[in-house]
Amino acid sequence: MEKMWAGRFEKALDKQADDFNSSIHFDKKMYKEDIKGSLSHALMLSSCNIISESEYQKIAEGLNSILDDLNSGALAFDMDAEDIHMFVEAELTKRIGDTGKRLHTARSRNDQVALDLRLYMRAQVNNIISLLKELIGAVKDKAEENQDAIMPGYTHLQRAQPITFAQHLLAYCMMLIRDVTRLEDALKRMNYSPLGSCALAGTTYPTNRDMVAKDLGFDGVCMNSIDGVSDRDYCIELESAFALIMMHLSRFSEEIILWSSWEFKFVELDDSYTTGSSIMPQKKNPDMAELVRGKTGRVYGDLMATLTTLKGLPLAYNKDMQEDKEAIFDACETVIKCLEVFIPMIKTMAPIKENMYAAATKGFINATDLADYLTKKGMPFRSAYKIVGTIVSECIKKNITLDQMSLDDYKKHSDIFESDLYTEISLETCISKRISKGSTGYESVKEQIQYVTELLKQ
Ligand code: ARG
């Protein structure tokens, strides 16, 4: 196919160079946005008397028929086209003749591609926000059902203090809520139309950029034409937000992998989200969680790739910028695929409360509460901490837990100890006495569930 820009050249582009240069195999994804943007542009051209009303009608009909045929599959993408923009324009001229050649008036592919990518990513981000909200809801529901499930809370992966499974799950709700607000925040900043920036310097035609911006649901236009065609900040912002989402899903996955091991057995994953081994008949592997954890790396890679591509670019458009799309498409699709499998995996995950509780009875996770017991009876915390440390060491030697030590033995360490210590260090008391805001206490967990529920209603 002859290039649109062939007039200036004496020789055709080398075949390999042509393939190297072409982006249609990935930017064809944006065909709907490309056509939508062109329809809006053509409408503006006619309303500003740059093209006639009847020319607009012809262009609109042609573009709509292309859209229908691409949607239905009646029209295939021409993989010899340089990119989606060239393909649609060539197809339009094929269908409606010379009028098709008027569409590109007061526009360049530089502002066109900038527009298409913003429109495409805006829709994708809204899709991701809905998926995140669905996940937050699923995690919150799991928390609501497991407010009484006591388990060990960990630091350094060592049993630390008793918590409820609900409190642990709600921590993920808070992370995912921040992920939603980060995307919403980025959407606000990116929602300006670059169209009409043209190649880089604007145009001599009396265009109306605001009209196009409004028609396409933007909050306004990019205020500087050079910035309009050169800005890919939003790609990096979105990729950073995607990287954080993946980091959260990856930490969650890591815990699910641990929890479903025989060493923990705190949860049982549903058969439909686990796989078997080709050789070991007993295996039930948490592949979905592992893949989510694994795919985090490629999303980080996409962020790094875009940051690096943009780093040394002089203003305005450079062909390097064509590299923006594969990275952000990959990051975005990875996040979507991960969320789509993560959500049902969470919904069907069954906690095993007895095992959580059994693990909580070991590891002296009520030692802080024993120290607090002494402190509340007047002993300075540091002294109480030291005494309890000695008691723990004695228990380890005797292979008993804190509640198995006799009151007589306790009294050898301090005569402050009375028989009420046993209720004070019971796991249920450890939870119910956590009264600070945001704590694992039953009331606090209810408050958190309420908070998440309210946010999801908005
Ligand atoms: N395929 C190109 C891209 O994705 C479109 C813009 C081309 N502009 C140009 N001046 N060659 O960036």
Side-chain angles (χ1 to χ4, degrees):
M1 189 169 77
E2 188 179 88
K3 298 286 177 207
M4 274 177 203
W5 35 258
R8 189 230 175 277
F9 293 84
E10 282 169 13
K11 275 166 75 181
L13 183 61
D14 168 79
K15 171 80 181 95
Q16 251 180 355
D18 196 11
D19 288 345
F20 186 65
N21 192 45
S22 159
S23 57
I24 185 131
H25 59 285
F26 52 83
D27 62 23
K28 64 179 197 268
K29 268 190 217 310
M30 309 191 299
Y31 77 91
K32 286 185 188 151
E33 288 72 21
D34 193 74
I35 293 173
K36 203 172 160 200
S38 287
L39 282 166
S40 214
H41 178 65
L43 180 64
M44 180 278 288
L45 290 178
S46 86
S47 105
C48 295
N49 296 317
I50 300 168
I51 61 172
S52 72
E53 169 67 26
S54 68
E55 284 167 334
Y56 164 67
Q57 291 301 342
K58 264 180 116 173
I59 290 174
E61 262 166 47
L63 287 172
N64 281 317
S65 72
I66 295 172
L67 181 61
D68 289 345
D69 291 351
L70 285 172
N71 282 339
S72 71
L75 173 66
F77 294 102
D78 173 6
M79 290 320 221
D80 287 337
E82 191 173 320
D83 55 30
I84 186 63
H85 327 293
M86 293 295 211
F87 167 72
V88 172
E89 199 186 322
E91 182 62 29
L92 180 68
T93 304
K94 218 191 268 175
R95 292 188 181 201
I96 68 167
D98 278 356
T99 310
K101 297 181 181 167
R102 295 199 184 273
L103 172 63
H104 212 53
T105 314
R107 182 176 81 170
S108 150
R109 267 189 301 157
N110 298 349
D111 56 342
Q112 190 180 355
V113 71
L115 173 79
D116 292 3
L117 189 55
R118 278 188 204 226
L119 288 174
Y120 184 84
M121 287 314 300
R122 193 175 66 184
Q124 294 299 314
V125 168
N126 280 314
N127 181 15
I128 293 178
I129 290 176
S130 307
L131 285 167
L132 282 172
K133 287 185 177 168
E134 193 186 339
L135 177 57
I136 294 166
V139 178
K140 191 260 299 172
D141 288 347
K142 228 4 78 151
E144 203 158 9
E145 293 154 22
N146 289 284
Q147 296 176 67
D148 60 342
I150 297 177
M151 66 180 266
Y154 295 82
T155 62
H156 313 268
L157 204 54
Q158 306 277 321
R159 290 174 208 176
Q161 289 180 345
I163 57 169
T164 62
F165 191 45
Q167 169 75 354
H168 198 107
L169 291 174
L170 284 161
Y172 284 103
C173 285
M174 305 309 162
M175 295 175 223
L176 296 165
I177 287 168
R178 286 197 296 276
D179 290 331
V180 169
T181 59
R182 234 186 307 276
L183 289 175
E184 286 171 343
D185 191 42
L187 275 181
K188 270 183 226 151
R189 231 182 330 276
M190 73 184 264
N191 203 29
Y192 292 88
S193 168
L195 203 75
S197 298
C198 304
L200 76 162
T203 181
T204 54
Y205 290 97
T207 52
N208 185 345
R209 293 187 60 203
D210 293 299
M211 180 182 162
V212 176
K214 203 165 164 220
D215 189 42
L216 294 172
F218 286 106
D219 295 323
V221 300
C222 300
M223 282 300 287
N224 177 290
S225 61
I226 296 178
D227 183 51
V229 290
S230 311
D231 173 27
R232 297 293 184 275
D233 291 3
Y234 66 95
C235 295
I236 294 169
E237 277 196 60
L238 294 179
E239 284 162 347
S240 312
F242 295 161
L244 279 167
I245 294 168
M246 290 305 297
M247 182 269 284
H248 292 149
L249 294 184
S250 184
R251 292 180 81 170
F252 205 166
S253 294
E254 168 70 10
E255 298 209 287
I256 289 168
I257 293 161
L258 285 173
W259 292 340
S260 52
S261 72
W262 281 110
E263 282 68 17
F264 282 78
K265 260 295 164 237
F266 287 180
V267 299
E268 182 75 32
L269 289 177
D270 194 81
D271 282 2
S272 34
Y273 297 97
T274 47
T275 61
S277 152
S278 60
I279 171 171
M280 297 167 281
Q282 82 284 10
K283 291 296 287 289
K284 182 175 170 184
N285 297 326
D287 287 27
M288 306 309 131
E290 288 172 279
L291 273 173
V292 169
R293 188 178 59 184
K295 283 177 190 293
T296 303
R298 61 193 282 168
V299 176
Y300 289 5
D302 293 325
L303 166 64
M304 281 305 134
T306 310
L307 276 168
T308 313
T309 299
L310 268 290
K311 170 181 174 290
L313 290 191
L315 301 177
Y317 179 84
N318 303 266
K319 193 68 172 225
D320 316 44
M321 291 162 98
Q322 183 165 285
E323 289 290 310
D324 58 2
K325 281 172 278 308
E326 280 169 294
I328 199 159
F329 291 165
D330 180 71
C332 169
E333 275 152 30
T334 304
V335 169
I336 291 172
K337 275 191 212 146
C338 288
L339 285 170
E340 280 172 349
V341 66
F342 204 85
I343 294 167
M345 183 182 75
I346 292 294
K347 284 185 180 166
T348 54
M349 177 178 83
I352 308 171
K353 295 184 190 181
E354 319 82 78
N355 292 351
M356 293 181 183
Y357 194 89
T361 59
K362 291 178 222 118
F364 305 97
I365 66 177
N366 44 5
T368 315
D369 296 81
L370 187 60
D372 285 345
Y373 168 87
L374 292 173
T375 314
K376 282 179 190 153
K377 295 201 170 191
M379 189 183 282
F381 181 77
R382 273 294 154 233
S383 318
Y385 171 93
K386 196 170 170 200
I387 289 176
V388 174
T390 319
I391 293 171
V392 166
S393 146
E394 200 177 304
C395 285
I396 292 171
K397 277 179 207 132
K398 292 183 178 163
N399 195 23
I400 56 170
T401 56
L402 289 175
D403 58 307
Q404 289 168 336
M405 182 150 149
S406 72
L407 187 56
D408 284 346
D409 284 343
Y410 269 113
K411 284 205 176 284
K412 284 178 202 150
H413 293 276
S414 164
D415 53 16
I416 294 178
F417 284 120
E418 296 298 341
S419 60
D420 60 346
L421 82 90
Y422 295 102
T423 46
E424 211 56 24
I425 62 169
S426 84
L427 293 177
E428 285 74 14
T429 313
C430 293
I431 302 288
S432 61
K433 289 226 166 156
R434 291 283 187 284
I435 51 168
S436 60
K437 206 175 168 87
S439 72
T440 193
Y442 298 113
E443 284 314 306
S444 156
V445 163
K446 280 204 172 17
E447 193 184 3
Q448 295 176 56
I449 290 169
Q450 184 69 20
Y451 169 78
V452 177
T453 309
E454 286 304 316
L455 275 183
L456 286 178
K457 277 190 205 154
Q458 286 165 25

